[in-house]
């Protein structure tokens, strides 16, 4: 009679577990951003301004960022 009342146990699908973990992480991040003392709007605006300045320089300026093609970066391996 005890088994009939509890019903069959259900094992949660792994993708459902991952979705719950992702959802909880998103909620945690939102709470940290909202409750933190860092001025996120100001920080984001500064970041966007810096990206715009880099984009305005154009692709021909050397901003210290290495650029690799398929051969120089060895993306396909050596050999």
């Amino acid at each position: 009679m005890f088994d009939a009342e509890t019903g069959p146990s259900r094992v949660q699908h792994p993708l459902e577990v991952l979705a719950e973990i992702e959802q909880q992480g998103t909620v945690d991040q939102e709470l940290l951003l909202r409750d933190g003392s860092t001025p996120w709007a100001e920080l984001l605006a500064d970041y966007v301004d810096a990206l715009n300045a880099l984009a305005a320089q154009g692709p021909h300026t050397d901003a210290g960022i290495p650029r690799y093609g398929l051969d120089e970066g060895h993306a396909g391996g050596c050999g």
Side-chain angles (χ1 to χ4, degrees), residues 54 57 61-67:
L54 286 173
Q57 291 175 3
T61 60
D62 184 22
I65 301 171
R67 293 190 178 121

Side-chain angles (χ1 to χ4, degrees), residues 1 3 5-7 10 12 14 21 25-26 28 30-31 41 43 50 52 54-57 60-61 68 73 77:
M1 187 168 230
D3 291 333
E5 292 177 6
T6 59
R10 180 178 176 268
Q12 194 172 11
I21 292 170
T26 301
D28 291 344
E30 289 175 1
L31 290 174
L43 182 65
N52 283 334
L54 286 173
Q57 291 175 3
H60 302 294
T61 60
Y68 298 108

Side-chain angles (χ1 to χ4, degrees), residues 38-49:
T38 305
W40 289 103
E42 189 176 317
L43 182 65
L44 182 60
D46 290 343
Y47 180 74
V48 169
D49 288 342

Side-chain angles (χ1 to χ4, degrees), residues 22-45:
E22 181 182 12
Q23 177 64 28
Q24 185 59 44
T26 301
V27 169
D28 291 344
Q29 287 176 356
E30 289 175 1
L31 290 174
L32 286 172
L33 288 172
R34 186 189 70 208
D35 296 339
S37 62
T38 305
W40 289 103
E42 189 176 317
L43 182 65
L44 182 60

